[in-house]
Amino acid sequence: MTYEVTDRDQHGSEPAGGHRPRVLVLRALGLGDLLAGVPALRGIRRAFPGHRVVLAQPPGLTELALATGAVDSVFPAEAPGRGVPDLAHWPGPPPDVAIDLHGNGPESRDALAALRPRRLLAHAGPDGPPWRGHANERDRWCAFLHAYGIPADPRDLRLPPPATPSPAPGAVVVHPGAASGSRQWPAERFAAVVRCLSAAGHRVVLTGGPGEDALVRSVAERSGRHGDDVLTGGLPFGQLSALIAGASLVLSGDTGLAHLAVAHGTRSVTLFGPVSPRLWGPPPSPDHLALWKPGPPGDPHGRTPDARLLRIRTGEVAAACLMLLRDVRGRPRTGPEAAHVH
């Protein structure tokens, strides 16, 4: 018998099938992609209240997927890079509805179509809306669903508070890593900002994902961080989520942790380059500052830091962090919504 990962047993126990019709949603990408897709997933959940919503995604993101409240179970699916995974191990009968939130197709559309769903929603489908290449990721997928008559609000992205206590409540969390070299601000600059924040009286905690220990230790050594202020090895999601939810501020590049800060309503400063924050940045809010130097788009998967990213100086990053931290200690911020700082 074939099994799928479910909310009752994240390691695979409930037999596939069941009595409810199933909606299969394909978004087999990373942490930031999943968080950016939450508004669309919640729109799907509301549109199909009698269905079981199954999300095809990497199994390592199961805990987060279930925490959104929009997903009943996870169907393990992943491919190298941002490729389209093979879905041939789908259990049981065809899904009642299949929805492509993975990309503009045709590869992702074809992977879902091969399962012979009763209905297929996809950009590359015969009735699919045109691809909005220059839209913010949240807006793009909500507009895609609207074209099929499914309401979705791009602002509906908050996560519930984690049940796990934070390992460093009230700390400033600095995450120097990124999925590609082109989005990674230099370690010595992160260290300079950490020293500035520490001198101002703030506790600063460094984090890194799997494979980023050397980078985190480099920033730690340059900035004088040690002990419990250096969290290497990649925290389990529950602890990471609690850390971000309980932080006073998150400083990072354009990576999944920035999306997690937005999802928990934690103030953030995010360094963008080579991709504009208009495409992947936070929603307009004075609590989230996106630092960005305009210019032609670069390669988001390049190996070396993007030229626009390198134009962001340590002084302006430290000033942005200290401004938000002053507001944390005082009254809530008010005023115009300004997210992008050039």
Side-chain angles (χ1 to χ4, degrees):
M1 180 176 292
T2 304
Y3 297 94
E4 70 183 37
V5 180
T6 74
D7 46 355
R8 282 190 282 269
D9 185 341
Q10 295 179 14
H11 302 288
S13 66
E14 181 183 341
H19 300 293
R20 283 193 292 165
R22 291 179 292 177
V23 176
L24 174 62
V25 183
L26 174 60
R27 192 166 177 81
L29 299 165
L31 171 66
D33 303 277
L34 173 54
L35 289 166
V38 165
L41 290 171
R42 287 179 173 156
I44 292 168
R45 170 74 284 166
R46 289 188 293 268
F48 297 95
H51 288 62
R52 183 172 185 80
V53 178
V54 181
L55 179 62
Q57 64 156 36
L61 296 174
T62 295
E63 189 174 355
L64 170 57
L66 299 177
T68 67
V71 174
D72 293 307
S73 60
V74 166
F75 174 55
E78 55 188 328
R82 299 177 68 81
V84 177
D86 184 0
L87 304 179
H89 55 299
W90 172 255
D96 188 61
V97 182
I99 303 177
D100 182 4
L101 297 186
H102 192 87
N104 61 352
E107 293 87 355
S108 50
R109 173 207 62 195
D110 292 345
L112 289 169
L115 302 180
R116 301 186 180 279
R118 186 181 64 82
R119 186 184 181 197
L120 174 61
L121 281 58
H123 273 292
D127 59 347
W131 176 258
R132 301 174 64 199
H134 299 288
N136 183 278
E137 188 75 359
R138 294 178 301 275
D139 296 335
R140 173 192 294 128
W141 293 112
C142 288
F144 163 76
L145 293 176
H146 275 281
Y148 283 103
I150 299 174
D153 183 353
R155 299 168 297 179
D156 186 11
L157 44 72
R158 291 290 295 272
L159 292 177
T164 304
S166 169
V172 176
V173 175
V174 175
H175 184 84
S180 63
S182 62
R183 286 181 276 160
Q184 187 171 301
W185 206 49
E188 62 271 18
R189 299 193 192 182
F190 272 113
V193 175
V194 171
R195 291 195 299 270
C196 178
L197 297 178
S198 298
H202 299 283
R203 180 187 178 188
V204 180
V205 170
L206 300 174
T207 67
E212 294 179 341
D213 286 1
L215 172 63
V216 174
R217 291 194 180 103
S218 174
V219 177
E221 290 171 3
R222 294 167 187 263
S223 60
R225 299 293 90 196
H226 53 80
D228 292 341
D229 291 342
V230 182
L231 304 175
T232 56
L235 292 176
F237 175 75
Q239 292 183 32
L240 179 64
S241 184
L243 175 69
I244 299 306
S248 58
L249 178 78
V250 173
L251 168 62
S252 73
D254 174 18
T255 187
L257 213 69
H259 293 273
L260 190 57
V262 172
H264 281 309
T266 300
R267 299 179 191 212
S268 65
V269 175
T270 308
L271 314 181
F272 277 84
V275 177
S276 167
R278 290 186 174 85
L279 300 180
W280 281 94
S285 167
D287 290 336
H288 304 293
L289 299 181
L291 303 187
W292 157 253
K293 303 298 183 181
D299 179 6
H301 308 295
R303 296 184 177 182
T304 59
D306 181 76
R308 283 156 294 277
L309 183 63
L310 292 178
R311 286 167 54 198
I312 301 174
R313 312 310 299 177
T314 57
E316 60 188 305
V317 175
C321 291
L322 290 171
M323 179 182 70
L324 288 182
L325 287 167
R326 281 194 297 269
D327 291 331
V328 168
R329 290 179 172 179
R331 60 184 177 83
R333 298 191 72 207
T334 59
E337 294 184 339
H340 302 161
V341 179
H342 302 297

